[in-house]
Each structure stands twice: as structure tokens, then as C-alpha cells.
Amino acid sequence: MGVRSPITPVSSNDSSNKPSAVHDEATHTKASRWKISRAGDGDTAMALFSLPEEFHQPTSPEEAKRLERRIDYMILPYLAVCYAFFYIDKTTLSYAAIFNIREDLHLTGTDYNWLSSIFYFGFLVWAFPTNLLMQRLPIGRYLGFNIFMWGFFLMLQAACNSFATLATLRALGGAAEACSDPSFMLITSMWYTRRQQPVRIGIWYTANGLGIAGGGLLGYAIGNIKGALPSWKYEFLIIGALCSAWGIVMFIMLPDSPVTAKLLTPRERRMAVERLRENQTGVENKHLKGYQVREAFMDYKLYLFFILGVVGNVPNGGISNFGTIIIKGFGFSTLVTTLMQVPYGIFISICILVCVFLNDRFKNRRCLFIIFFLIPNICGAFSLRFTPVDQRVGRLISYYLTGPYNAAFVLILSLQTANTAGHTKKVVTNAVLFLGYCTGNIVGPFFYKTSQQPTYSFGIWSMIVSHLMEVVVILTLWVLLARENKRRDRVQGEKDGGLEGRDLDATAFSDMTDRENLKYVRSPCYRGWALLL
């Protein structure tokens, strides 16, 4: 849970000289230079230190590198495998469609569209509660439990014999998955510096593409099973069982926080926390703070991230559920269609890795790279719309070009985590971004009209318009954040010591918001101290 500031002046007759737990808002005493949020408590990381001065323990470069590798091994494999399963799950209905689930369950009209969307209704309804539970509960165990339940609901879908039963289980599966992306973002921000976050988010998000490729291979293998059940039932049973098994692994193995990680020594825990000092965003705080909720909803960034969540995922809602149908419409057989998803997934993974490593190489150019990696999607969607239907190879290449939006969305996620401080505010902003994510995925499938199968002209236009709107919102965010950077530079420059005289130690784990903490620097766009653009 959140900890009270551990240091206050101690009376002269207190021979034990033990620290007490009282502190005023954003002030400091002679005995302590800690500064904390107006709610009166700081970050859980403060439990590891008595004074801000203790941050700077001597550490060799070799020791720091060894710790970084150890953290990578403790966190990234679990998140990456989990994320691959998440995307395989999102495409199980798409594969079930080419394995004749529509005929077996007598789905007509917009039934299939509703099954695609209702998953995200469950996600949408449970988004805020699950984010608040993530703040209160050990995040590693909570995530593992939800993955297990999501796999369990997926297995149950094999027993469905009607639209109603399948829709109910799809909604429950969506609720179980509602913690996925927000928890991954919180975990990444708890363990990595702002400079490291885009690459690490990119690494686990790369599993999205591997999930598409792996889903294609699994679909091909499952399609060749000659058993007593229809192929789509094996799809749900096998993938659901794998996911539940991985949920158990996550529950046992994934650490909840660098403050409590059992696989790290006490010194390594302090080192893991100390390297986050310059983030000025802390590790976590278990108290829900009303003023941070209010501030989140008064911050323009929250609404822009919501819009980005919507327009960035209208295309995803269509492609993830209708992608196999579109490819099969090029004239491929059912089993070949499953294999055609493999190069698509590999291409997406390559795009994500190239994107995050370019972003790491050219510091603070996130908005620029988001736009850059949206360009292939816009070109691919235009080409898919206007390439003649008899040009099978050309249309397939056009379809593949719709994949790099995943790389752009990785940077949008890292942009949000890096520019929001205060744990409650981060949780709320995460939730709102993924409310937009759900909205886009709910709306997306309804642009794909059954009457337009397999070309889906209206659906392709929805991709084009959504990506163009995404570019406009990113440019707007870029301008607004640059303006805020200049304002903060000016205010901080007028204080004693100027920009270089800021005491980052005192506020590093204050659980103050980015508006409370003027020392919170949102890294440079093109100069000086700035927001992470």
C-alpha cells in the first residue's frame, strides 16, 4: 500500500530516534527533504529509503547492466508470451468463421459482427473496476488470475450451440481480458525508465505479430485434425487450455513490484527503484486519491488519448475479426488462408521492433514515428480499396501493408505512460485510453457489411478515415505538449538554480501528479526539458 513519508523531526527525548509517519503536503522539514502529494502519502518505493540522499548508492556500470538484464528476464518473457495469447484469442473467432462456425450456429445478418463486438462490451464494462482493482491488489497475481479465467471462458465456448451462449461467454472473456494492456503498461512503468519504456513495450507488443503468425500455424494444424468435433471447437479448446496454463505460470512467477520482488536482493531492489528516480512517476501507490481522479478528467491529454484509442482501433476491430475472411476472398482455400496470416504477423513484429529501436536511436521523436508508421497503413488501405479484385497478389500485399499501425500504437501507449504521473491518475488515464480502445473495437466490425463480402469496401474506407484522423490527433497532441514544455521551462527557469538546479530526489517517489510536480520533465521533443513527444 502507499506509505506515509517516513521522516519527520524527532523530539530530543526520543532515544530510539525512529522515524514517524506524518508529513505535510508538498513541504519538507529540516530532517527530511521528501515531498509528497497533497493526499499525504507517497510511493511504495519510499519504504526502501529513509532519506532522498540514500538514492545515490555507488553502483558500477557492470552491476547496473547485470540488474537490467535480470529485470528483463523476470518481466519480458511473461508479458510477451501472454500478449501472444491475447492476440491469438482475438483471432479465434476469425478462424472459427472459416471453420464454419457461422453455419453450425446458424448465424445470420449481423450476428457475427455482434459476436466480434460483444467481446469489447465486456472489456468496456469492466475496464474501470479492473483498473481500480489493479491498484489495490498485487498486480502480478491479479493478472495471472484473469488470464486463467479468460482461457477458461474460451474453452467453454466450444460447448456453445447458439448465438446467445457464445455471446455471453465472449462478453465474460472480454471482461477477463480488460486488465491486459493497462496492467502491462503499469508493470512496464514500474520497472523501466522512461527512455527504456518504448523498447520494452515494443518487445512485449511484438508478440502481437508473433501471435498472428502463431495463430495461423495453430489454425492450420487444428484444421488438419480429423476428430469427432468441428475444427472451430478444437480451436477454442486448445487455445483456451494453453492460456489457462500460462495464467497459472504468471500467477506464480511474475513479481508484483520491484519493491517486493523476491528474486532480487535488498540491494538490487533499491537499485531497481533508484534508476526510476528521473522518471518522477514513482512505482505504485495503493490508495485511490480523489483529487488525482478529478485532475485526470481536467487534463486535455486524457481526452486526446481516448480519441487515439478509438480511431487507432476501428481498423483493428475489423482486421482482427474479418482478416481471414478478406484473405479467403482473394481466392485461397481455408487452410492456405490460415497460413497467409503467418507472414502478416512476422511483418508486424518486424515493424514494431524497427519502430521502437528507431525511437530509441533518435531520442524523443515519438510523435514523428507514430505518423511515419501510419503512412503504410493509409497507403495499404487505399490500395486494398482500389486494386482490382482479380489482382490477388497485389491485394494480398495491400492487406499486409495494413499491419504497421501496431507499431504506431506501441508508441502511443509509451507516450501515455511517460507523460502521466501520480499512480491514481495513471490508472484512470489508462482506463480511459482503453475505453477508447474498446469503443474502436466495438464499432470497427460494423463497417464490414455482409452484403459487401469479401471486398468490404465500407470497412476499408473506415480504416482510411480512422488513420487520417489519428494523424490529426497526434499532430494536435504534439503542438500542445510542445507548448506545455516551453511553459514549464520558463517557470522552472525562474526558480533558484534554474533548470539544472532541480532537486529530483525529493519528488522522485512523491506520488505527485505531473501537474503538481513542476520538476516532472516530459522529455524533449526537439530541445531542452520537455514532454515525451
Side-chain angles (χ1 to χ4, degrees):
M1 58 188 299
V3 294
R4 296 280 170 177
S5 179
I7 302 298
T8 55
V10 187
S11 61
S12 56
N13 59 359
D14 185 359
S15 58
S16 64
N17 200 33
K18 293 181 180 179
S20 66
V22 180
H23 207 304
D24 295 328
E25 170 196 352
T27 60
H28 55 83
T29 67
K30 209 171 176 184
S32 169
R33 291 193 300 110
W34 288 117
K35 297 184 180 181
I36 58 176
S37 70
R38 72 167 86 164
D41 67 343
D43 194 89
T44 56
M46 290 171 65
L48 297 177
F49 304 92
S50 296
L51 288 169
E53 289 81 356
E54 294 181 1
F55 285 133
H56 305 286
Q57 57 182 350
T59 304
S60 68
E62 295 77 14
E63 192 177 15
K65 196 67 178 175
R66 187 166 57 250
L67 175 64
E68 185 178 323
R69 285 196 302 270
R70 190 167 186 181
I71 290 173
D72 285 341
Y73 293 143
M74 288 169 54
I75 302 298
L76 295 182
Y78 299 108
L79 299 190
V81 173
C82 188
Y83 212 79
F85 279 131
F86 280 142
Y87 203 85
I88 291 173
D89 167 64
K90 288 181 175 68
T91 57
T92 50
L93 187 64
S94 181
Y95 287 110
I98 62 173
F99 290 145
N100 298 322
I101 192 174
R102 291 180 293 179
E103 292 78 10
D104 290 351
L105 297 190
H106 309 292
L107 304 179
T108 59
T110 58
D111 285 352
Y112 181 78
N113 304 66
W114 277 109
L115 287 174
S116 304
S117 295
I118 204 165
F119 178 90
Y120 292 99
F121 276 109
F123 198 121
L124 187 70
V125 169
W126 196 238
F128 260 108
T130 201
N131 273 270
L132 297 178
L133 285 170
M134 275 192 290
Q135 183 173 11
R136 299 290 297 176
L137 300 173
I139 194 167
R141 294 181 183 179
Y142 183 69
L143 179 58
F145 170 77
N146 278 273
I147 295 165
F148 176 85
M149 292 305 300
W150 158 66
F152 176 69
F153 291 135
L154 187 59
M155 285 189 287
L156 287 181
Q157 291 175 38
C160 292
N161 56 9
S162 68
F163 168 82
T165 54
L166 186 56
T168 300
L169 288 170
R170 291 274 298 169
L172 290 172
E177 195 175 317
C179 71
S180 56
D181 291 87
S183 65
F184 284 16
M185 292 167 64
L186 282 176
I187 289 169
T188 305
S189 67
M190 286 164 59
W191 286 91
Y192 293 102
T193 67
R194 287 196 287 174
R195 178 71 186 273
Q196 294 169 337
Q197 286 171 19
V199 171
R200 267 56 181 196
I201 291 175
I203 289 172
W204 55 252
Y205 205 96
T206 297
N208 186 342
L210 299 178
I212 296 173
L217 293 173
L218 274 172
Y220 182 80
I222 291 169
N224 279 291
I225 295 176
K226 307 301 180 185
L229 300 175
S231 295
W232 61 268
K233 293 196 175 190
Y234 287 114
E235 183 88 13
F236 290 142
L237 287 170
I238 293 171
I239 294 175
L242 290 172
C243 292
S244 289
W246 192 249
I248 295 172
V249 172
M250 294 274 284
F251 186 92
I252 297 171
M253 300 300 297
L254 185 66
D256 296 308
S257 161
V259 179
T260 59
K262 294 180 180 179
L263 295 179
L264 298 181
T265 66
R267 172 176 168 78
E268 287 173 331
R269 289 177 206 161
R270 290 166 70 105
M271 289 170 57
V273 166
E274 182 182 331
R275 70 199 202 106
L276 306 179
R277 180 180 64 93
E278 292 187 3
N279 285 9
Q280 295 287 302
T281 56
V283 177
E284 64 175 342
N285 183 290
K286 294 298 186 182
H287 296 148
L288 178 67
K289 299 179 179 178
Y291 84 92
Q292 291 195 12
V293 175
R294 290 190 296 272
E295 181 178 313
F297 282 100
M298 295 295 290
D299 194 330
Y300 67 85
K301 297 194 302 295
L302 178 139
Y303 300 98
L304 291 177
F305 284 126
F306 173 79
I307 295 171
L308 286 172
V310 175
V311 297
N313 286 282
V314 167
N316 184 68
I319 287 295
S320 61
N321 291 290
F322 288 85
T324 56
I325 301 174
I326 291 173
I327 293 176
K328 192 173 182 181
F330 298 161
F332 296 109
S333 68
T334 298
L335 291 180
V336 171
T337 295
T338 64
L339 291 179
M340 288 296 98
Q341 289 286 71
V342 175
Y344 183 57
I346 293 172
F347 178 58
I348 288 172
S349 296
I350 292 171
C351 287
I352 293 172
L353 290 176
V354 170
C355 178
V356 296
F357 282 107
L358 281 176
N359 181 74
D360 188 59
R361 171 66 178 81
F362 300 97
K363 191 176 179 182
N364 300 304
R365 294 292 184 270
R366 298 189 202 200
C367 289
L368 178 64
F369 284 123
I370 289 170
I371 294 171
F372 180 79
F373 278 86
L374 285 174
I375 292 173
N377 300 271
I378 297 169
C379 295
F382 267 113
S383 179
L384 194 58
R385 175 64 189 89
F386 293 108
T387 300
V389 292
D390 59 340
Q391 300 296 314
R392 184 165 66 172
V393 174
R395 290 179 64 78
L396 182 62
I397 293 173
S398 300
Y399 172 80
Y400 286 163
L401 286 175
T402 63
Y405 76 89
N406 290 276
F409 195 63
V410 167
L411 291 190
I412 290 173
L413 296 180
S414 70
L415 196 64
Q416 186 273 315
T417 58
N419 285 297
T420 309
H423 197 75
T424 297
K425 186 176 180 180
K426 284 192 287 187
V427 166
V428 171
T429 306
N430 266 349
V432 170
L433 188 155
F434 283 99
L435 287 176
Y437 168 89
C438 292
T439 304
N441 279 287
I442 288 170
V443 171
F446 287 97
F447 290 107
Y448 292 76
K449 305 292 185 182
T450 304
S451 59
Q452 297 178 341
Q453 185 177 343
T455 56
Y456 295 114
S457 58
F458 195 43
I460 303 306
W461 273 115
S462 73
M463 294 173 60
I464 295 169
V465 173
S466 295
H467 286 316
L468 290 174
M469 291 176 63
E470 196 171 356
V471 170
V472 172
V473 176
I474 287 296
L475 289 173
T476 302
L477 188 62
W478 194 343
V479 170
L480 291 174
L481 295 184
R483 183 181 300 171
E484 173 68 7
N485 293 338
K486 292 179 181 178
R487 186 190 72 81
R488 284 175 177 258
D489 281 358
R490 185 175 64 254
V491 171
Q492 192 63 40
E494 292 171 355
K495 295 182 178 294
D496 292 342
L499 294 177
E500 302 302 325
R502 299 171 307 155
D503 182 6
L504 298 181
D505 294 343
T507 55
F509 302 105
S510 61
D511 196 44
M512 295 167 71
T513 69
D514 45 284
R515 287 190 173 182
E516 280 185 287
N517 183 7
L518 284 178
K519 297 182 179 69
Y520 176 77
V521 290
R522 311 174 180 187
S523 82
C525 167
Y526 50 86
R527 48 152 285 296
W529 300 97
L531 288 150
L532 278 164
L533 302 182

